[in-house]
Amino acid sequence: MSQAGSHLRAALSLAAVSARGVKTRGSVSRRLSAWPVPQEPSMEYQDAVRMLNTLQTNAGYLEQVKRQRGDPQTQLEAMEQYLARSGLQVEDLDQLNIIHVTGTKGKGSTCAFTECILRSYGLKTGFFSSPHLVQVRERIRINGQPISPELFTKYFWRLYHQLEETKDGSCVSMPPYFRFLTLMAFHVFLQEKVDLAVVEVGIGGAYDCTNIIRKPVVCGVSSLGIDHTSLLGDTMEKIAWQKGGIFKQGVPAFTVLQPEGPLAVLRDRAQQISCPLYLCPPLEALEEGGPPLTLGLEGEHQRTNAALALQLAHCWLQQQDHQRTGDLKVSRPSLPWQLPLAPTFQLTSHMRLGLRNTEWLGRTQVLRRGPVTWYLDGAHTSSSIQACVRWFRQALQGGERQSCGPEVRVLLFNSTGDRDSAALLKLLQPCQFDYAVFCPNLTEVSSPGSADQQNFTVTLDQVILRCLEHQQHWNHLDEEQASPDLWSTPALEPGGPAPLLLAPHPPHSCSSSSLVFSCISHALQWISQGRDPVFQPPSSPRGLLAHPVAGSGASVLREAAAIHVLVTGSLHLVGGVLKLLEPSLSQ
């Protein structure tokens, strides 16, 4: 590790330089409107985001929950106190006609499908999700669009000042980052008078701060998997227990096909509180008798998410007595686990339109840029990585070859938290990448960039060392496949420039193609070699090709007829890539 350590120190030294609710909402709106609005423009959007960042990022919130998980119920009670101090009562949230969704994978896509379906009916929708990819205001959407910087700034300071004014010696003045945004979303949706709010759970369900919601219209549980084990438990059954915590008495809930054990846990959780829980039939059952559905999100796994979204939207419309919800076709029998199948129904034109128009950046997203094609998917669990691999390989097989020349496959990967990166990387091996590139979730090393992507809970040393661990795992996997040993790690030249490529593979590794860069920008510059017509940084940094792997690889990439780049492992990584590849998202 001494060689890697010298690379790390050199790079770090360089980095240092370089509807129902509408009728009863009036009193709440009048109460909230009484808050003082800060004077603009002294408090601009970036100022609000910087202040928000001082309340901890998600990583800090996780650590706090870990320390306090001995009595997690107190966390919900604390959230209710914050809500009261902000000027709302739990009962006020009933006016939002909420669709509450949890799950391990696909819950964000399910929410996106659901919101778009209901918006296609002409309803004014609110949508709260996490994390954001480029700008924090993406987490709070109205009619499918992130709230404007002006609205974000207004509501942020209103809530911030209200909490400051109501603090006393017995309580902390400000909630952590995610809780603050959750409170803010509730205020935005009430003040902006949405007809409904789709609310995605942050982590888990039972003790998630969104679970102060008392009376959602309907609840959903997407596919379950292993994630956040230090918080939710290390088995699917324990995780299912947490997810089932969002069920409410008398409120219909839907889930997709799960392994038998977790599904039984969900069933028992629902039965204990008299929550009617239904299993979604596959999408094929809803397509019977009509043309096949077109989904706005790619990947076979999105059909499962779409099936759940259709049930949630249809149930919400029925509960609200909305017209043209689609006639029921049949009532289906119970399964061996005594969980009834949800009835199928006739799909309406609004439902078909909503599914077709759904957009959800960073999930099975493809950007074609001349000879470079970027495949972006924020998969970060074993099951979601498997789905990502299937999607990527199918996309390669189904794509048209632009020429008869050589094609290069590149993996850009990072993984954070307590996730098993070695297991995730092993699942990616069948894609047969020519190069594996690792970098932290930092857009740049020389400047903090926009406040939206600042993270104060980790140091550059920590995230770089994590990337070196990823690289070691990848090299070990290559050794197991007995790849030829073509490269070795050179020593730094005395007095030479510190390489921005932190480390190729360790000496004597069988891998010929693993690279670690200090930030996303440098990784993208090396991968694209100036061939992406949109991503055109002013100049390549010194030392980018200092190592033979980077130098020879650059020649291969420049001469390739096509470059296919899969970016995965972390939604934050995908967000940083999107920030650079799609500058309009930062505007």
Side-chain angles (χ1 to χ4, degrees), residues 15 24 31 155 428 560 570 572:
T24 58
R31 188 163 73 239
Y155 284 110
L428 289 161
S570 166
H572 299 286

Side-chain angles (χ1 to χ4, degrees), residues 444 520-530 535 537 539-541 544:
E444 306 278 356
I520 296 171
S521 178
H522 295 163
L524 296 191
Q525 288 181 58
W526 182 81
I527 293 169
S528 63
Q529 291 298 312
F535 178 65
S539 61
S540 296
L544 196 63

Side-chain angles (χ1 to χ4, degrees), residues 68-69 127 142 201 258 283 287 294 383 481 528 531-532 542 550 555 580 582 584:
Q68 299 175 342
R69 65 174 180 255
F127 180 10
I142 293 178
V201 166
Q258 315 278 6
L283 200 58
E287 289 178 310
T294 301
S383 51
Q481 295 186 7
S528 63
R531 303 183 69 189
D532 183 317
R542 295 174 62 214
S555 299
L580 295 173
E582 294 277 29
S584 62

Side-chain angles (χ1 to χ4, degrees), residues 421-474:
S421 59
L424 300 183
L425 289 169
K426 186 172 184 177
L427 294 172
L428 289 161
Q429 285 272 306
C431 293
Q432 298 180 321
F433 293 104
D434 299 289
Y435 295 94
V437 178
F438 306 96
C439 69
N441 300 337
L442 303 172
T443 309
E444 306 278 356
V445 292
S446 57
S447 65
S450 69
D452 295 271
Q453 296 190 327
Q454 288 178 340
N455 186 342
F456 299 134
T457 64
V458 291
T459 66
L460 186 57
D461 308 59
Q462 291 171 328
V463 295
I464 293 299
L465 288 172
R466 181 66 184 260
C467 290
L468 293 172
E469 292 173 4
H470 301 334
Q471 185 191 39
Q472 287 183 332
H473 293 318
W474 185 263

Side-chain angles (χ1 to χ4, degrees), residues 173-248:
S173 63
M174 290 295 159
Y177 185 94
F178 183 76
R179 291 190 199 178
F180 188 100
L181 287 171
T182 304
L183 292 171
M184 183 172 157
F186 291 148
H187 283 289
V188 170
F189 296 154
L190 284 167
Q191 282 283 283
E192 298 300 315
K193 298 179 172 60
V194 300
D195 295 317
L196 67 117
V198 179
V199 177
E200 178 189 0
V201 166
I203 296 173
Y207 305 116
D208 185 74
C209 67
T210 64
N211 207 29
I212 60 172
I213 299 166
R214 296 185 323 154
K215 293 181 179 179
V217 175
V218 60
C219 296
V221 181
S222 67
S223 298
L224 297 180
I226 301 293
D227 198 18
H228 299 299
T229 53
S230 60
L231 294 173
L232 306 180
D234 55 2
T235 69
M236 292 272 282
E237 287 74 16
K238 292 177 181 178
I239 291 172
W241 188 93
Q242 294 281 350
K243 305 294 184 180
I246 70 167
F247 295 157
K248 302 295 187 294

Side-chain angles (χ1 to χ4, degrees), residues 508-525:
H508 310 301
S509 166
C510 293
S511 170
S512 63
S513 56
S514 63
L515 311 172
V516 175
F517 289 93
S518 56
C519 68
I520 296 171
S521 178
H522 295 163
L524 296 191
Q525 288 181 58

Side-chain angles (χ1 to χ4, degrees), residues 121-440:
Y121 277 87
L123 295 163
K124 185 174 183 179
T125 61
F127 180 10
F128 177 63
S129 65
S130 61
H132 62 277
L133 294 179
V134 179
Q135 296 195 55
V136 67
R137 58 192 181 88
E138 298 166 24
R139 297 181 182 226
I140 305 174
R141 296 172 180 260
I142 293 178
N143 286 334
Q145 296 299 314
I147 60 174
S148 68
E150 293 76 19
L151 269 185
F152 185 96
T153 302
K154 179 178 77 170
Y155 284 110
F156 173 85
W157 289 115
R158 276 186 176 181
L159 179 57
Y160 190 91
H161 292 321
Q162 177 74 4
L163 292 171
E164 275 288 319
E165 291 168 6
T166 56
K167 68 180 180 181
D168 57 40
S170 63
C171 61
V172 178
S173 63
M174 290 295 159
Y177 185 94
F178 183 76
R179 291 190 199 178
F180 188 100
L181 287 171
T182 304
L183 292 171
M184 183 172 157
F186 291 148
H187 283 289
V188 170
F189 296 154
L190 284 167
Q191 282 283 283
E192 298 300 315
K193 298 179 172 60
V194 300
D195 295 317
L196 67 117
V198 179
V199 177
E200 178 189 0
V201 166
I203 296 173
Y207 305 116
D208 185 74
C209 67
T210 64
N211 207 29
I212 60 172
I213 299 166
R214 296 185 323 154
K215 293 181 179 179
V217 175
V218 60
C219 296
V221 181
S222 67
S223 298
L224 297 180
I226 301 293
D227 198 18
H228 299 299
T229 53
S230 60
L231 294 173
L232 306 180
D234 55 2
T235 69
M236 292 272 282
E237 287 74 16
K238 292 177 181 178
I239 291 172
W241 188 93
Q242 294 281 350
K243 305 294 184 180
I246 70 167
F247 295 157
K248 302 295 187 294
Q249 182 177 2
V251 175
F254 296 84
T255 189
V256 299
L257 186 62
Q258 315 278 6
E260 184 174 351
L263 193 61
V265 172
L266 292 177
R267 177 204 63 200
D268 293 344
R269 286 281 264 169
Q271 288 180 346
Q272 288 167 6
I273 61 169
S274 300
C275 163
L277 176 63
Y278 302 93
L279 185 67
C280 295
L283 200 58
E284 291 78 9
L286 294 172
E287 289 178 310
E288 290 178 3
L293 287 166
T294 301
L295 305 185
L297 305 182
E298 296 185 10
E300 186 66 23
H301 58 288
Q302 293 294 356
R303 291 179 60 83
T304 301
N305 300 328
L308 176 56
L310 283 167
Q311 294 290 345
L312 295 174
H314 180 263
C315 181
W316 189 94
L317 291 165
Q318 282 192 317
Q319 295 285 321
Q320 300 301 306
D321 296 322
H322 202 279
Q323 298 299 312
R324 301 183 306 281
T325 60
D327 297 329
L328 293 180
K329 287 182 179 177
V330 293
S331 181
R332 297 194 171 243
S334 298
L335 292 177
W337 308 288
Q338 299 177 351
L339 192 62
L341 273 176
T344 58
F345 48 87
Q346 187 71 44
L347 297 179
T348 67
S349 59
H350 296 293
M351 293 173 180
R352 291 179 176 274
L353 179 65
L355 291 176
R356 185 168 64 247
N357 289 344
T358 299
E359 295 181 353
W360 196 226
L361 299 183
R363 287 81 168 178
T364 60
Q365 180 182 2
V366 180
L367 295 176
R368 293 180 173 86
R369 303 284 186 73
V372 186
T373 303
W374 306 90
Y375 303 82
L376 311 175
D377 190 70
H380 51 273
T381 67
S382 294
S383 51
S384 60
I385 287 288
Q386 287 175 312
C388 173
V389 167
R390 288 193 296 269
W391 161 69
F392 177 66
R393 297 180 74 179
Q394 289 170 358
L396 291 179
Q397 293 171 0
E400 297 182 2
R401 289 182 63 93
Q402 301 299 317
S403 70
C404 58
E407 297 189 355
V408 179
R409 298 182 188 181
V410 182
L411 170 66
L412 179 57
F413 178 90
N414 191 30
S415 180
T416 60
D418 55 7
R419 298 179 178 95
D420 185 352
S421 59
L424 300 183
L425 289 169
K426 186 172 184 177
L427 294 172
L428 289 161
Q429 285 272 306
C431 293
Q432 298 180 321
F433 293 104
D434 299 289
Y435 295 94
V437 178
F438 306 96
C439 69

